[in-house]
Every structure is written in C-alpha cells, then in structure tokens.
Amino acid sequence: MPLLPSILNPRLYLRAVLAAMVVSFVLFQILPDLLLWSKDADQDDRCRIVSITDGNTVRTWCPARGVEVGRLQGFSAPKLYYARCKSEFLEAFAARRALRLAVMGAKDVTIVREGKDVDKRALIKVWLDGRSLASLMVETGHARPHSGRGWPSWCH
C-alpha cells in the first residue's frame, strides 16, 4: 500500500504540469496563425498571409496558387530557426511578433509576388494600408535594409 493516496502523489501533478506546458507551447505556436488565417477570410479573390515563420518568412494563400512559402523582400530580419547566437534567436522572436501584429492590425494587406529565389520560395513584397512592410520593419528596428548581398549578423 502506498504511503500517499494517489491524489496526493507529486508525480501526478508533475505529469499534469508537463502536459499543460506542452499543450500551451503548441497553442502558443498555432493560435496566432489561426487568427491570421481567419482574418479577411471573406476576400477570396486576393492573396493573404496565413502563417508567419520568422521576421521575413511567411506562408501565403492565393486562389490561383494555393499555399506557398514566401520570403518578404526589401529587408533582412533575424532568423528564428537558424539563429547563430542567443541574441539573434531572441530578436527573431521579437521580429516575428512585430510582423504578426502589423499584419493583424492592418485593414488592407496587398501582396505582390515577384518570382522565386534559389530555395524555391516566392519572393513577395507586402504593403499594409498602403505602406511598405519593409520600411515599417526597418523603422521599428526589427529588420535591416537588405541590399541583396550577404546577410547581416544579428549577434552582439
């Protein structure tokens, strides 16, 4: 017979806390993208951003092409999944959050596809309420202008 009744067993609570952490992490990653997917769902004739990977990589949905991965043009943002240091990783989270809030807060999102890059991602430019997303991300400090050559270091 165990010393503690099963309801008082600390292992039960530890498992419950770990399960709650896993569920909340998954929801934290998925929920914002579900909100983006539902935003402007009535505009079936226009492309829209449905998921944000990091500060300059998104998934778009267009009626003619379906869902495709796209790289936002005109700026360079820190990489979330290929971060070279802790500061780049943390800044990538901030850049993704800023991008998500900017897209969700815009009344009009205009997406222009400009071909594909060497990784077969769509190259796209975005305007939010008539303003360039690239200039917005650079002005807020979440990105740097991209000249087309090399990638700036985000490590301090």
Side-chain angles (χ1 to χ4, degrees), residues 9-11 21 23 26 37 50 54 73 84-85 94 98 105 109 113 119 121-122 133 137 143 155-156:
N9 189 342
R11 288 183 183 173
M21 287 174 55
V23 168
V26 169
W37 180 261
V50 295
D54 62 18
Q73 293 291 95
R84 291 171 276 189
C85 61
V109 178
R113 188 174 183 272
D119 297 324
R121 295 181 299 178
L133 176 61
M137 292 293 285
C155 298
H156 305 191

Side-chain angles (χ1 to χ4, degrees), residues 13-30:
Y13 292 104
L14 179 60
R15 288 182 183 146
V17 167
L18 290 175
M21 287 174 55
V22 168
V23 168
S24 64
F25 181 75
V26 169
L27 287 177
F28 179 72
Q29 295 297 320
I30 295 173

Side-chain angles (χ1 to χ4, degrees), residues 47-118:
C47 295
R48 62 181 187 251
I49 295 173
V50 295
S51 174
I52 296 175
T53 305
D54 62 18
N56 65 351
T57 306
V58 297
R59 279 191 174 75
T60 60
W61 178 84
C62 297
R65 289 192 269 307
V67 176
E68 66 181 344
V69 176
R71 184 191 181 291
L72 300 173
Q73 293 291 95
F75 65 97
S76 176
K79 306 290 180 231
L80 182 62
Y81 297 103
Y82 301 105
R84 291 171 276 189
C85 61
K86 181 180 167 184
S87 62
E88 181 174 10
F89 183 75
L90 295 173
E91 289 191 36
F93 265 111
R96 180 173 71 172
R97 182 175 183 272
L99 177 58
R100 189 173 279 141
L101 290 173
V103 171
M104 290 178 74
K107 290 183 174 43
D108 181 45
V109 178
T110 304
I111 300 171
V112 176
R113 188 174 183 272
E114 298 182 333
K116 291 191 171 201
D117 66 4
V118 294

Side-chain angles (χ1 to χ4, degrees), residues 132-153:
S132 166
L133 176 61
S135 65
L136 177 70
M137 292 293 285
V138 170
E139 286 172 14
T140 58
H142 295 291
R144 297 180 183 151
H146 183 58
S147 63
R149 295 187 332 218
W151 301 103
S153 174

